Amino acid sequence: MFKGAITAIVTPFKNGQLDEAAYRELIEFQVQSGIHGIVPCGTTGESPTLSHAEHKRVVETCIDQVKKRVVVIAGSGSNNTAEALELTKHAQAAGADAALMITPYYNKPTQEGLYQHYKTVASQTKIPIVVYNVPGRTSVNLLPETVARLAELPNIVGLKDATGDLKQGCKTLELCGDKITVLSGDDFTTFPLLCVGGMGVISVVSNVVPGDMAGMCNAFFKGDLAKARELHYKMWPLIEAMFFETNPVPVKTAVKMMGKITGEVRQPLWVMSAPNEEKLRQVMQKYGLIK
C-alpha cells in the first residue's frame, strides 16, 4: 500500500480561504504525473493553521478528487491525544487509506508517553496509521526501540522518518524488520534510505517535480540504480531550494512560479525574502520548470 513517491501536498489559499479549485487541479497534476500517493494536511499542507472544519474539508476534497487512483494518507496528528483521535476517526470515516500522525509537539512527552499516545488512537480506530517522526519541528525524537514497540500494534503500519539521520533509520529497520514500512520524510535521504530498506518517501519537492520523484522510486524498485541515482542528483539543487526558508514557504513559492497557486501562506509564516526568492527562481529556471 505504501511504496514509492507520496506527495505531502500544499494547501492553496486565495484571499485567506481554501482555494478548492486550485487544490483539485494540484491533485490532478500529481496523479497525472505518476505520483504514488498524496498526503493532505501534513506539515507542508499548513495543518497547524487550518481550523478543524477546514482540515476535514481539505481531507474530504482530496479523497474525492483522487477517487482511489492513488493512496491518500490523511494528516491527523496533534499534540493533544483527544484531538488526534478525533481527526483520525474523521480520516477513517472519510475514506482515507491511512492516517499520518505526527509525534506530539511542544509537550515533549517521554518515550512511554509517545507509545501510549499512539496506542490510544490505534486502539480506538481501524485505519492504518503511519507514525511521523520529525524532531526538528516537535522537539521530541521517537526512538527506534519505541517504533519497534509500536510496530506490534496491528494498525501501526508505517513510519515517516524525518530525522535526517540514516543511522537511526537503519536501527529502526533492523529492529522492525518487515513489521512496518519505513518512508523517508526528508527528500535528501530518500535514495540512501531506499538502499538500506526504506520503501519510499513522503515528499515536499514532488509538489514541483512529481514525475521525477516517482521516476526515481520506480527506477530503484526495477533495479535500475544508475537511473535512480541520476534522478536523485538531478533533483538535488531543487531539494536544497525547498529549504532556503521554512517549509512550506519555498515550495508554495515554487508552485506559484509555475502558475498553479497564489502562493499565499498563513501567519506566522511569511513570504520569502527577495534574495531567497531570486535564488529559488534561478534553480527553477535551470531545472527547466519556468522560463
Side-chain angles (χ1 to χ4, degrees), residues 5-10 22-39 62 65-66 69-71 203-214 251 255 258 260:
I6 301 165
T7 298
I9 197 165
V10 298
Y23 188 50
R24 288 182 179 275
E25 289 176 6
L26 287 181
I27 292 165
E28 203 58 32
F29 167 61
Q30 292 289 321
V31 174
Q32 294 299 323
S33 298
I35 207 68
H36 303 119
I38 297 176
V39 173
C62 183
Q65 187 66 32
V66 166
R69 290 175 292 172
V70 298
V71 297
S203 170
V204 173
V205 78
S206 61
N207 277 280
V208 182
V209 285
D212 282 349
M213 183 56 82
V251 69
V255 179
M258 295 168 72
K260 297 182 180 296

Side-chain angles (χ1 to χ4, degrees), residues 182-197:
V182 176
L183 302 167
S184 171
D186 294 301
D187 287 310
F188 69 91
T189 66
T190 303
F191 180 65
L193 195 62
L194 287 171
C195 292
V196 294

Side-chain angles (χ1 to χ4, degrees), residues 65-80:
Q65 187 66 32
V66 166
K67 292 181 172 59
K68 296 292 184 183
R69 290 175 292 172
V70 298
V71 297
V72 174
I73 307 175
S76 67
S78 171
N79 67 333
N80 175 336

Side-chain angles (χ1 to χ4, degrees), residues 181-246:
T181 295
V182 176
L183 302 167
S184 171
D186 294 301
D187 287 310
F188 69 91
T189 66
T190 303
F191 180 65
L193 195 62
L194 287 171
C195 292
V196 294
M199 294 300 289
V201 60
I202 295 179
S203 170
V204 173
V205 78
S206 61
N207 277 280
V208 182
V209 285
D212 282 349
M213 183 56 82
M216 186 184 76
C217 292
N218 290 339
F220 180 86
F221 290 118
K222 289 177 182 176
D224 190 348
L225 297 187
K227 180 65 174 178
R229 185 169 58 249
E230 176 189 332
L231 285 168
H232 167 74
Y233 283 111
K234 178 186 178 185
M235 290 185 287
W236 190 263
L238 198 57
I239 290 168
E240 289 185 311
M242 293 301 100
F243 294 90
F244 283 164
E245 291 185 9
T246 303

Side-chain angles (χ1 to χ4, degrees), residues 80-142:
N80 175 336
T81 303
E83 188 174 282
L85 177 58
E86 176 193 344
L87 293 173
T88 304
K89 284 182 174 179
H90 172 263
Q92 178 175 292
D97 298 290
L100 178 69
M101 286 182 58
I102 196 169
T103 53
Y105 37 88
Y106 190 76
N107 311 63
K108 298 185 76 172
T110 63
Q111 294 300 304
E112 185 61 28
L114 291 169
Y115 174 80
Q116 294 297 336
H117 170 77
Y118 286 108
K119 183 180 179 183
T120 295
V121 177
S123 67
Q124 296 182 53
T125 58
K126 294 181 179 178
I127 190 169
I129 293 172
V130 178
V131 175
Y132 176 17
N133 187 28
V134 55
R137 284 192 179 259
T138 64
S139 294
V140 65
N141 186 14
L142 187 70

